[in-house]
Amino acid sequence: KAGVTQTPRYLIKTRGQQVTLSCSPISGHRSVSWYQQTPGQGLQFLFEYFSETQRNKGNFPGRFSGRQFSNSRSEMNVSTLELGDSALYLCASSLGQGARTDTQYFGPGTRLTVL
Amino acid sequence: AQSVTQLGSHVSVSEGALVLLRCNYSSSVPPYLFWYVQYPNQGLQLLLKYTSAATLVKGINGFEAEFKKSETSFHLTKPSAHMSDAAEYFCAVSASGTYKYIFGTGTRLKVLA
């Protein structure tokens, strides 16, 4: 079974621009979560989608948004990019049945650099 | 609320020596705990998870972890380190009331030849 895929793997943008990252979950998984990883803040939860609905949201500004499509694929968007948005963005998929034991499987990430 | 603390941001061991990476948790509800490994320029790979079935959990690549409620710990061990174990390791707890993970700050493992 194919793993979680993320595109693109690397991205360079300038301040003020916007960016869209894509994530395709493991087949059969209905939940997609997004995390931001930076050297200073570590791994921080952005949001989680299940059945095209945002189910949880972390403490990030409204510039960070996401959506999920009927095939469970997800995109996240960051508008008005800031230098501090430079990070590795990780997508994780899970069955999404709601159990806390639900295991998340991570993709390779998208490395975003903001200049 | 839940949290995890990983003691030691960097750990060095000799090849063939015991690996011990520490994780302590705080949780107001029975915790579900995970260890992930991250190799350079890659995502996170699940090593093992504790979901209350057994206190000693065996994972991939020879790693195991023991859940100790009295010590609120879930330390990761491997009897004999291999050069390929060099990576960053993250402990995580599944947060109650949500479906997200709360991660520790990570421990970077270096294996010396």
Side-chain angles (χ1 to χ4, degrees):
Chain A
K1 189 182 277 191
V4 179
T5 59
Q6 292 187 246
T7 55
R9 291 293 310 277
Y10 300 91
L11 209 49
I12 300 175
K13 293 286 187 179
T14 56
R15 280 181 299 173
Q17 288 187 309
Q18 75 165 17
V19 67
T20 299
L21 312 181
S22 181
C23 171
S24 293
I26 292 171
S27 178
H29 285 192
R30 298 171 63 192
S31 169
V32 173
S33 296
W34 289 89
Y35 293 82
Q36 182 196 64
Q37 185 179 23
T38 60
Q41 300 298 317
L43 280 152
Q44 293 186 289
F45 173 77
L46 280 155
F47 29 64
E48 187 233 355
Y49 286 87
F50 176 78
S51 291
E52 303 178 66
T53 301
Q54 188 180 87
R55 192 158 65 173
N56 288 289
K57 189 177 190 304
N59 295 322
F60 278 81
R63 299 186 297 107
F64 291 82
S65 63
R67 60 177 175 169
Q68 186 180 34
F69 302 95
S70 58
N71 61 357
S72 294
R73 190 177 70 85
S74 177
E75 290 181 346
M76 68 162 282
N77 184 277
V78 188
S79 63
T80 320
L81 284 166
E82 301 177 0
L83 295 178
D85 297 333
S86 294
L88 180 67
Y89 289 88
L90 292 164
C91 166
S93 80
S94 65
L95 288 170
Q97 293 169 334
R100 287 176 52 220
T101 56
D102 204 19
T103 300
Q104 295 189 17
Y105 297 89
F106 285 80
T110 293
R111 173 77 61 186
L112 172 64
T113 302
V114 182
L115 303 176
Chain B
Q2 285 86 18
S3 66
V4 291
T5 302
Q6 290 184 245
L7 294 175
S9 58
H10 292 81
V11 170
S12 294
V13 299
S14 298
E15 191 174 21
L18 171 72
V19 175
L20 171 60
L21 304 182
R22 300 179 187 274
C23 174
N24 287 88
Y25 69 89
S26 172
S27 180
S28 56
V29 297
Y32 296 115
L33 298 158
F34 305 80
W35 273 102
Y36 283 86
V37 61
Q38 185 177 35
Y39 298 99
N41 299 315
Q42 294 187 29
L44 277 68
Q45 180 182 8
L46 179 69
L47 280 175
L48 48 82
K49 64 180 181 180
Y50 167 75
T51 58
S52 77
T55 57
L56 182 62
V57 182
K58 295 187 183 299
I60 63 171
N61 302 339
F63 284 94
E64 63 181 38
E66 186 172 8
F67 174 75
K68 291 186 177 180
K69 185 177 179 181
S70 61
E71 299 177 8
T72 61
S73 68
F74 189 56
H75 301 332
L76 182 71
T77 61
K78 181 174 180 178
S80 177
H82 192 274
M83 297 297 289
S84 61
D85 295 326
E88 191 158 19
Y89 293 79
F90 292 92
C91 182
V93 64
S94 179
S96 66
T98 71
Y99 305 97
K100 68 179 184 181
Y101 286 7
I102 297 170
F103 284 91
T105 51
T107 297
R108 191 171 297 277
L109 176 66
K110 185 175 182 179
V111 182
L112 308 172

